[in-house]
Amino acid sequence: THKKVAMHLKNVDAQDFDREYIAHMVADHAKALEHLRAKAKDATNPQVRTLASRQATVVAQHLEMARAIQSSLTMDASGRNS
């Protein structure tokens, strides 16, 4: 749950916070995208399909950005891109 994640992040040291936070953002966006794509395909209401399809496009863009941030943080942590 989001409360558990928030409590966990409160206890993470500053050095690891960004990496842990973005890992949760990537996972949450991936789950949301999966759900939206399923609704866009399977919903019986055409308006729901349209809305889910449009939102899936936005969430996919956000997921791509989050993954790029995650990648840069991983490279920073390894010292290759500091």
Side-chain angles (χ1 to χ4, degrees), residues 50-69:
T50 298
L51 177 63
S53 179
R54 288 179 182 163
Q55 290 304 307
T57 300
V58 172
V59 171
Q61 291 169 345
H62 291 182
L63 178 57
E64 185 178 318
M65 289 185 282
R67 284 181 174 153
I69 292 168

Side-chain angles (χ1 to χ4, degrees), residues 15-69:
Q15 218 171 24
D16 295 328
F17 180 85
D18 289 345
R19 283 187 297 279
E20 296 240 1
Y21 178 82
I22 200 66
H24 287 288
M25 290 299 100
V26 167
D28 286 349
H29 279 77
K31 287 178 194 173
L33 182 57
E34 183 180 325
H35 179 73
L36 287 166
R37 285 181 172 162
K39 286 294 178 191
K41 180 182 175 191
D42 299 331
T44 57
N45 183 317
Q47 290 176 319
V48 171
R49 284 196 312 269
T50 298
L51 177 63
S53 179
R54 288 179 182 163
Q55 290 304 307
T57 300
V58 172
V59 171
Q61 291 169 345
H62 291 182
L63 178 57
E64 185 178 318
M65 289 185 282
R67 284 181 174 153
I69 292 168

Side-chain angles (χ1 to χ4, degrees), residues 68-80:
I69 292 168
Q70 186 177 41
S71 178
S72 73
L73 290 172
T74 301
M75 289 193 323
D76 288 345
S78 69
R80 291 181 297 197

